[in-house]
């Protein structure tokens, strides 16, 4: 199902409690607070483990998320913009994480740069509604996707290291 | 460089070609006021109205009163829309946010010259040309996002030919999120709909009739999958997300529209769930009862309303009574009956299985994962700021 290291990562991301989506007014604010608390802890864990790999923020309604993720390969840092919407049916359905700049560069994507998730993701998510949140989607979805796809895309020469990334 | 004479020559040549091309486009069919059953070459409805003469459908011309929403105008949805257009449906609402791409050309309907156009606009143009009697409205957006969902539900509930709710919603989308969004809308506003789908390996598909409160909704149970009898180990997913075949999609679109016609014009039996396994041409059929503990509160509400209604008896008996629908059964085709419901575990027809089980055994490793504590003294703004400052 899930490999040992992902399992360990998952177990350290705080679970969520409130089952509410963006159409549930007050409850959604509650859920959003839990999302942020969980994400803050997850990012903190990553930093502590010297494995900091993404930053996210949202609009004030918490319905649109954007940020950056990065991946190290041969000691070079490759950085990508991440974005996704919170669907009206969240948290029953997971957010569809997208890396728009890679759209059209790999077959492991749906239109708009939405990453293609493994067969295991959806069942695991469904079994853990409403406990899983955005942090879990990142850990279970985007993390493994980057680990498999980015080295492959680099090897194929589809993506190149951009030196100036660090200066911006 | 060309001389003036050469250029003038070129102009006359092009003018000739243009007038020829314009002439070719002239024979557009005019709108037709009422469906006629007259059998003449010029009547596009003669073969459809013949269904009445043959006693299959009592009221074929009633099709013009109906409004159908097609959500997702891809491999299945575009063919579905074309079939309904050719059948003379009253009004079609098309929803999709995608553009036509050359990668879509293994499917039916769209043509290479339409690449780059939005699917809904490209489809509407072709469909209006095929049958100008059909009123076609297009909506080019993603229905799953917060900003579009309310508009989506508003359109579904007010866009029939009499400004009421649409008669039927057809889900021809390719992802779980959009199916769930449709399910949410239809449960909330009590809209009858069909779910349809083709598997990512392109060799199986299904349609499912969902009448909120009467049949299982999309949230009542995990999605059913048609067993393809392919060993998971030999199914290679390397380098691709999904495969697709025009055949499978055409078949599913055919099933979908066939059942749509049966449902709207009230003939034959509408299948509750019909699966298709392309590898051995197997078609499992089953009925799915709603889950009293469905996660969707509106599904539960619809179930209570249905329970409170006096039951139309004959409708139920149709499936229970194995009376001979056909006198002979040359190929030994049989209706696969729904098995008795068991506690927690609902059994499904042969050749079908749930995509996953619910409720699952909680992941042991997650047991000690702490809950995000919701101390209300921290405001959302503070948390947002904290996240930004990491």
């Amino acid at each position: 199902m899930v490999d040992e290291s992902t399992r360990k990562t998952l177990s350290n991301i705080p679970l969520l409690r409130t089952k509410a989506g963006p159409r549930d007014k007050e409850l959604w604010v509650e859920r959003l607070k839990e999302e942020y608390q969980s994400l803050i802890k997850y990012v903190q864990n990553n930093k502590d483990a010297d494995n900091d790999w993404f930053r996210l923020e949202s609009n004030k309604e918490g319905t649109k998320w954007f940020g950056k993720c990065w991946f190290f390969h041969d000691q070079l840092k490759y950085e990508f913009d991440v974005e996704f919407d919170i669907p009206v049916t969240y948290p029953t359905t997971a957010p569809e994480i997208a890396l728009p700049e890679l759209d059209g560069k790999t077959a492991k994507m749906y239109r708009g740069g939405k990453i293609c998730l493994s067969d295991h993701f959806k069942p695991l998510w469904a079994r853990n509604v409403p406990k899983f949140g955005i942090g879990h989607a990142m850990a279970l979805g985007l993390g493994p996707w980057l680990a498999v796809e980015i080295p492959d895309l680099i090897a194929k020469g589809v993506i190149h290291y951009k030196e100036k990334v660090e200066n911006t | 460089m060309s001389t003036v004479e050469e250029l003038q020559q070129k102009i006359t040549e092009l003018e000739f070609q243009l007038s020829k091309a314009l002439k070719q486009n002239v024979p557009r069919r005019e709108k037709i006021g009422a469906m006629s059953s007259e059998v003449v070459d010029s009547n596009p409805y003669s073969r459809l109205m013949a269904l009445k003469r043959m006693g299959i459908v009592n009221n074929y011309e009633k099709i013009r009163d109906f409004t159908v929403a097609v959500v997702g105008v891809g491999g299945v949805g575009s063919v579905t829309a074309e079939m309904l257009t050719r059948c003379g449906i009253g009004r079609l609402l098309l929803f999709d946010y995608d553009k036509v791409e050359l990668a879509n050309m293994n499917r039916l309907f769209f043509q290479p010259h339409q690449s780059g156009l939005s699917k809904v606009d490209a489809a509407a143009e072709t469909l209006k040309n095929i049958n100008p009697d059909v009123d076609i409205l297009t909506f080019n957006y993603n229905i799953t996002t917060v900003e579009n969902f309310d508009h989506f539900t508003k359109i579904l509930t007010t866009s029939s030919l009499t400004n009421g709710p649409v008669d039927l919603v057809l889900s021809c989308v390719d992802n779980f999120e959009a199916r769930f969004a449709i399910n949410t809308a239809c449960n909330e506003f009590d809209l009858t709909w069909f779910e349809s789908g083709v598997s990512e390996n392109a060799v199986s598909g299904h349609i499912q009739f969902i009448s909120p409160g009467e049949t299982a909704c999309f949230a009542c149970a995990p999605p059913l999958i048609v067993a393809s009898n392919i060993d998971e180990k030999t199914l290679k997913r390397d380098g691709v997300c999904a495969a697709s075949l025009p055949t499978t999609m055409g078949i599913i679109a055919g099933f979908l529209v066939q059942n749509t016609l049966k449902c709207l014009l009230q003939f034959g039996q509408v299948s509750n769930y019909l699966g298709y396994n392309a590898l051995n041409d197997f078609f499992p059929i089953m009925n799915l009862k709603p889950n009293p503990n469905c996660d969707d509160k509106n599904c539960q509400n619809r179930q209570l309303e249905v329970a409170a209604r006096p039951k139309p008896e004959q409708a139920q008996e149709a499936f229970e009574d194995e009376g001979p629908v056909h006198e002979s059964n040359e190929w030994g085709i049989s209706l696969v009956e729904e098995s008795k419901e068991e506690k927690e575990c609902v059994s499904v027809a042969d050749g079908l299985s749930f995509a996953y089980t619910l409720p699952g055994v909680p992941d042991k490793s997650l047991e000690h994962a702490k809950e995000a504590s919701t101390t209300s003294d921290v405001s959302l703004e503070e948390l947002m700021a904290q996240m930004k400052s990491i």
Side-chain angles (χ1 to χ4, degrees), chain B residues 286-337:
Chain B
M286 69 180 288
N287 290 328
L288 290 158
K289 291 207 179 75
N291 176 358
N293 304 313
C294 181
D295 250 3
D296 189 329
K297 260 268 162 288
N298 285 312
C299 173
Q300 292 195 24
N301 293 340
R302 298 290 92 80
Q303 289 182 48
L304 293 175
E305 288 167 16
V306 168
R309 276 207 297 263
K311 277 193 183 120
E313 288 191 17
Q314 70 204 71
Q316 288 300 13
E317 272 167 32
F319 271 112
E320 308 294 331
D321 177 21
E322 289 270 31
V325 178
H326 307 280
E327 288 304 327
S328 64
N329 192 0
E330 206 179 325
W331 293 287
I333 296 166
S334 65
L335 201 62
V336 184
E337 241 185 272

Coordinates of all heavy atoms in Angstrom, one line a residue, chain B residues 286-337:
Chain B
M286 N -27.3 -4.9 -12.3 CA -27.8 -5.1 -10.9 C -28.5 -3.9 -10.4 O -28.5 -2.8 -11.1 CB -26.6 -5.4 -10.0 CG -25.7 -4.2 -9.7 SD -24.3 -4.7 -8.6 CE -25.2 -4.7 -7.1
N287 N -29.2 -4.1 -9.3 CA -29.9 -2.9 -8.7 C -29.2 -2.5 -7.4 O -28.6 -3.4 -6.7 CB -31.4 -3.3 -8.3 CG -32.2 -3.5 -9.5 OD1 -32.1 -2.8 -10.5 ND2 -33.1 -4.5 -9.4
L288 N -29.1 -1.3 -7.2 CA -28.4 -0.8 -6.0 C -29.4 0.0 -5.1 O -29.9 1.1 -5.6 CB -27.3 0.1 -6.4 CG -26.1 -0.6 -7.1 CD1 -25.3 0.4 -7.9 CD2 -25.2 -1.3 -6.0
K289 N -29.6 -0.4 -3.9 CA -30.5 0.3 -3.0 C -29.7 1.4 -2.3 O -28.5 1.3 -2.0 CB -31.1 -0.7 -2.0 CG -32.0 -1.7 -2.5 CD -33.0 -2.2 -1.5 CE -34.0 -3.1 -2.1 NZ -33.3 -4.5 -2.3
P290 N -30.4 2.5 -1.9 CA -29.7 3.6 -1.2 C -29.2 3.1 0.2 O -29.9 2.3 0.8 CB -30.7 4.7 -1.1 CG -32.0 4.1 -1.4 CD -31.8 2.8 -2.2
N291 N -28.1 3.7 0.6 CA -27.6 3.4 1.9 C -28.2 4.3 3.0 O -28.1 5.5 2.9 CB -26.1 3.6 1.8 CG -25.4 3.4 3.2 OD1 -26.0 3.1 4.2 ND2 -24.1 3.5 3.2
P292 N -28.9 3.7 3.9 CA -29.6 4.5 4.9 C -28.6 5.4 5.7 O -29.0 6.4 6.3 CB -30.3 3.5 5.9 CG -30.3 2.2 5.2 CD -29.1 2.3 4.2
N293 N -27.4 5.0 5.8 CA -26.3 5.7 6.5 C -25.4 6.5 5.5 O -24.3 6.8 5.8 CB -25.5 4.8 7.3 CG -26.3 4.0 8.3 OD1 -27.2 4.5 9.0 ND2 -26.1 2.7 8.3
C294 N -26.0 6.8 4.4 CA -25.2 7.5 3.4 C -24.6 8.8 4.0 O -25.2 9.5 4.8 CB -26.0 7.9 2.2 SG -25.1 8.8 0.9
D295 N -23.3 9.1 3.6 CA -22.6 10.2 4.1 C -23.3 11.6 3.7 O -23.0 12.6 4.3 CB -21.2 10.2 3.5 CG -20.2 9.9 4.6 OD1 -20.6 9.7 5.7 OD2 -19.0 9.9 4.2
D296 N -24.0 11.5 2.6 CA -24.6 12.7 2.1 C -26.0 12.9 2.7 O -26.9 12.1 2.5 CB -24.8 12.7 0.5 CG -25.2 14.0 -0.1 OD1 -26.0 14.7 0.6 OD2 -24.9 14.2 -1.2
K297 N -26.1 13.9 3.6 CA -27.3 14.2 4.3 C -28.5 14.3 3.4 O -29.6 13.9 3.7 CB -27.2 15.5 5.2 CG -26.9 15.2 6.6 CD -28.2 15.1 7.5 CE -28.0 14.5 8.8 NZ -27.8 13.0 8.8
N298 N -28.3 15.0 2.3 CA -29.4 15.2 1.3 C -29.9 13.9 0.7 O -31.1 13.7 0.4 CB -29.0 16.1 0.2 CG -29.0 17.6 0.7 OD1 -29.9 18.0 1.4 ND2 -27.9 18.3 0.4
C299 N -29.0 12.9 0.6 CA -29.4 11.6 0.1 C -30.4 10.9 1.2 O -31.4 10.4 0.8 CB -28.2 10.7 -0.1 SG -28.6 9.0 -0.5
Q300 N -30.0 11.1 2.4 CA -30.8 10.6 3.5 C -32.2 11.2 3.5 O -33.2 10.6 3.7 CB -30.1 10.8 4.9 CG -28.9 9.9 5.0 CD -28.4 9.8 6.5 OE1 -29.2 10.0 7.4 NE2 -27.1 9.6 6.7
N301 N -32.2 12.6 3.3 CA -33.5 13.3 3.3 C -34.3 12.8 2.2 O -35.5 12.6 2.3 CB -33.2 14.8 3.1 CG -32.5 15.4 4.3 OD1 -32.6 14.8 5.4 ND2 -31.9 16.5 4.2
R302 N -33.7 12.6 1.0 CA -34.5 12.1 -0.2 C -35.0 10.7 0.1 O -36.1 10.4 -0.3 CB -33.6 12.1 -1.4 CG -33.1 13.4 -1.9 CD -34.1 14.3 -2.5 NE -34.7 15.2 -1.5 CZ -34.1 16.3 -1.1 NH1 -33.0 16.7 -1.6 NH2 -34.7 17.1 -0.2
Q303 N -34.2 9.9 0.8 CA -34.7 8.5 1.2 C -35.9 8.6 2.0 O -36.9 7.8 1.9 CB -33.6 7.8 1.9 CG -32.4 7.4 1.0 CD -31.4 6.5 1.7 OE1 -31.7 5.6 2.4 NE2 -30.1 6.9 1.5
L304 N -35.9 9.5 3.0 CA -37.1 9.7 3.9 C -38.3 10.1 3.1 O -39.4 9.6 3.3 CB -36.8 10.7 5.0 CG -35.7 10.3 6.0 CD1 -35.4 11.4 7.0 CD2 -36.1 9.0 6.7
E305 N -38.1 11.0 2.1 CA -39.3 11.5 1.3 C -39.8 10.3 0.5 O -41.0 10.2 0.4 CB -38.8 12.6 0.4 CG -38.5 13.9 1.0 CD -37.7 14.9 0.2 OE1 -37.7 14.6 -1.1 OE2 -37.2 15.8 0.7
V306 N -38.9 9.5 -0.1 CA -39.4 8.4 -0.9 C -40.1 7.4 0.0 O -41.2 6.9 -0.4 CB -38.2 7.7 -1.6 CG1 -38.6 6.4 -2.2 CG2 -37.6 8.6 -2.7
A307 N -39.6 7.1 1.2 CA -40.3 6.2 2.1 C -41.7 6.7 2.5 O -42.6 5.9 2.7 CB -39.4 6.0 3.3
A308 N -41.8 8.0 2.5 CA -43.1 8.6 2.9 C -44.1 8.6 1.8 O -45.3 8.7 2.0 CB -42.9 10.0 3.4
R309 N -43.6 8.4 0.6 CA -44.5 8.4 -0.6 C -45.2 7.0 -0.8 O -44.6 6.0 -0.5 CB -43.7 8.7 -1.9 CG -43.4 10.1 -2.2 CD -43.2 10.3 -3.7 NE -42.1 9.7 -4.3 CZ -40.9 10.2 -4.5 NH1 -40.7 11.5 -4.1 NH2 -39.9 9.6 -5.1
P310 N -46.5 7.0 -1.2 CA -47.0 5.7 -1.5 C -46.3 5.1 -2.7 O -45.9 5.8 -3.6 CB -48.5 6.1 -1.9 CG -48.5 7.5 -2.2 CD -47.4 8.1 -1.5
K311 N -46.0 3.8 -2.6 CA -45.2 3.2 -3.6 C -45.9 2.8 -4.9 O -47.0 2.3 -4.8 CB -44.6 1.8 -3.0 CG -43.4 2.1 -2.2 CD -42.6 0.8 -1.9 CE -41.5 1.1 -1.0 NZ -41.5 0.3 0.2
P312 N -45.4 3.2 -6.0 CA -46.0 2.8 -7.3 C -45.6 1.3 -7.4 O -44.5 0.9 -7.6 CB -45.3 3.6 -8.3 CG -44.0 4.1 -7.7 CD -44.1 3.9 -6.2
E313 N -46.6 0.4 -7.3 CA -46.3 -1.0 -7.2 C -45.7 -1.6 -8.5 O -44.8 -2.4 -8.4 CB -47.6 -1.7 -6.8 CG -47.9 -1.4 -5.3 CD -48.9 -2.4 -4.7 OE1 -49.2 -3.4 -5.4 OE2 -49.5 -2.0 -3.7
Q314 N -46.3 -1.3 -9.6 CA -45.9 -2.0 -10.8 C -44.4 -1.8 -11.1 O -43.7 -2.7 -11.5 CB -46.7 -1.6 -12.0 CG -46.4 -0.2 -12.4 CD -47.5 0.4 -13.2 OE1 -48.5 0.8 -12.7 NE2 -47.3 0.5 -14.5
A315 N -43.9 -0.6 -10.8 CA -42.6 -0.3 -11.1 C -41.6 -1.2 -10.4 O -40.6 -1.7 -11.0 CB -42.3 1.1 -10.8
Q316 N -41.9 -1.6 -9.2 CA -41.0 -2.4 -8.4 C -41.1 -3.8 -8.9 O -40.0 -4.5 -9.0 CB -41.4 -2.4 -6.9 CG -41.1 -1.1 -6.2 CD -39.6 -0.8 -6.2 OE1 -38.9 -1.4 -7.0 NE2 -39.1 0.2 -5.5
E317 N -42.2 -4.3 -9.3 CA -42.4 -5.7 -9.6 C -41.6 -6.1 -10.9 O -41.2 -7.2 -11.0 CB -43.8 -6.1 -9.9 CG -44.5 -6.5 -8.5 CD -46.0 -6.5 -8.7 OE1 -46.4 -6.9 -9.8 OE2 -46.6 -6.3 -7.7
A318 N -41.4 -5.1 -11.8 CA -40.7 -5.4 -13.0 C -39.5 -6.2 -12.9 O -39.2 -7.2 -13.6 CB -40.5 -4.1 -13.8
F319 N -38.7 -5.9 -11.9 CA -37.4 -6.6 -11.7 C -37.5 -7.9 -11.0 O -36.9 -8.9 -11.3 CB -36.4 -5.7 -11.1 CG -35.6 -4.9 -12.0 CD1 -35.8 -3.5 -12.1 CD2 -34.7 -5.5 -12.9 CE1 -35.1 -2.7 -13.0 CE2 -34.0 -4.7 -13.8 CZ -34.2 -3.3 -13.9
E320 N -38.4 -7.9 -10.0 CA -38.5 -9.1 -9.1 C -39.1 -10.3 -10.0 O -38.7 -11.4 -9.9 CB -39.5 -8.8 -8.0 CG -39.2 -7.6 -7.1 CD -37.8 -7.8 -6.4 OE1 -37.5 -8.9 -6.1 OE2 -37.2 -6.7 -6.2
D321 N -40.1 -9.9 -10.7 CA -40.8 -10.9 -11.5 C -40.0 -11.4 -12.7 O -39.8 -10.6 -13.6 CB -42.2 -10.3 -11.9 CG -42.9 -11.3 -12.8 OD1 -42.7 -12.5 -12.7 OD2 -43.8 -10.8 -13.6
E322 N -39.6 -12.6 -12.7 CA -38.7 -13.1 -13.8 C -39.5 -13.6 -15.0 O -39.1 -14.5 -15.7 CB -37.8 -14.2 -13.3 CG -36.7 -13.7 -12.4 CD -35.4 -13.4 -13.1 OE1 -35.5 -12.9 -14.3 OE2 -34.4 -13.6 -12.6
G323 N -40.7 -13.0 -15.2 CA -41.6 -13.4 -16.2 C -40.9 -13.3 -17.6 O -39.9 -12.5 -17.7
P324 N -41.3 -14.1 -18.6 CA -40.6 -14.1 -19.8 C -40.7 -12.7 -20.6 O -41.8 -12.5 -21.1 CB -41.2 -15.2 -20.6 CG -42.5 -15.4 -20.0 CD -42.4 -14.9 -18.6
V325 N -39.7 -11.9 -20.6 CA -39.7 -10.7 -21.3 C -39.6 -11.1 -22.8 O -40.2 -10.5 -23.7 CB -38.5 -9.8 -20.9 CG1 -38.5 -8.5 -21.8 CG2 -38.6 -9.4 -19.4
H326 N -38.7 -12.1 -23.0 CA -38.6 -12.6 -24.4 C -39.0 -14.1 -24.3 O -38.7 -14.8 -23.3 CB -37.2 -12.5 -24.9 CG -36.6 -11.2 -24.7 ND1 -36.9 -10.2 -25.7 CD2 -35.8 -10.6 -23.8 CE1 -36.3 -9.1 -25.3 NE2 -35.6 -9.3 -24.2
E327 N -39.7 -14.6 -25.3 CA -40.2 -15.9 -25.2 C -39.0 -16.9 -25.3 O -39.0 -17.9 -24.5 CB -41.2 -16.2 -26.4 CG -42.5 -15.5 -26.2 CD -43.2 -15.9 -24.9 OE1 -43.1 -17.1 -24.4 OE2 -43.9 -15.0 -24.3
S328 N -38.1 -16.7 -26.2 CA -37.0 -17.6 -26.3 C -35.8 -16.9 -25.7 O -35.7 -15.7 -25.6 CB -36.8 -18.0 -27.8 OG -36.4 -16.8 -28.5
N329 N -34.8 -17.7 -25.4 CA -33.6 -17.2 -24.8 C -32.4 -17.9 -25.4 O -31.7 -18.7 -24.8 CB -33.6 -17.3 -23.3 CG -32.5 -16.5 -22.7 OD1 -31.7 -15.8 -23.3 ND2 -32.4 -16.6 -21.3
E330 N -32.2 -17.7 -26.7 CA -31.3 -18.4 -27.5 C -29.9 -18.4 -27.0 O -29.1 -19.4 -27.0 CB -31.3 -17.8 -28.9 CG -30.9 -18.7 -30.0 CD -31.0 -17.9 -31.4 OE1 -31.9 -17.0 -31.5 OE2 -30.1 -18.2 -32.2
W331 N -29.4 -17.3 -26.4 CA -28.1 -17.2 -26.0 C -27.9 -17.3 -24.5 O -26.8 -17.1 -23.9 CB -27.5 -15.8 -26.4 CG -27.4 -15.7 -27.9 CD1 -26.4 -16.4 -28.7 CD2 -28.2 -15.0 -28.8 NE1 -26.7 -16.1 -30.0 CE2 -27.7 -15.3 -30.1 CE3 -29.3 -14.2 -28.6 CZ2 -28.3 -14.7 -31.3 CZ3 -29.9 -13.6 -29.8 CH2 -29.4 -13.9 -31.0
G332 N -29.0 -17.7 -23.8 CA -28.9 -18.0 -22.4 C -28.6 -16.7 -21.6 O -27.9 -16.8 -20.6
I333 N -29.1 -15.6 -22.1 CA -28.8 -14.4 -21.3 C -29.7 -14.3 -20.1 O -30.9 -14.6 -20.2 CB -29.0 -13.1 -22.3 CG1 -28.0 -13.2 -23.4 CG2 -28.9 -11.8 -21.5 CD1 -28.4 -12.3 -24.6
S334 N -29.2 -14.0 -19.0 CA -30.0 -13.9 -17.8 C -29.7 -12.7 -17.0 O -28.6 -12.1 -17.1 CB -29.8 -15.1 -16.9 OG -28.5 -15.1 -16.4
L335 N -30.8 -12.2 -16.3 CA -30.6 -11.0 -15.5 C -29.9 -11.4 -14.2 O -30.4 -12.4 -13.6 CB -32.0 -10.5 -15.2 CG -32.2 -9.1 -14.8 CD1 -31.7 -8.2 -16.0 CD2 -33.7 -8.8 -14.5
V336 N -28.9 -10.8 -13.9 CA -28.2 -11.1 -12.7 C -28.9 -10.4 -11.5 O -28.9 -9.2 -11.5 CB -26.7 -10.8 -12.7 CG1 -26.0 -11.2 -11.5 CG2 -26.1 -11.4 -14.0
E337 N -29.4 -11.2 -10.6 CA -30.2 -10.6 -9.5 C -29.3 -10.0 -8.4 O -28.3 -10.6 -8.2 CB -31.2 -11.6 -9.0 CG -32.6 -11.2 -9.1 CD -33.5 -12.2 -8.5 OE1 -33.9 -13.2 -9.1 OE2 -33.8 -12.0 -7.3

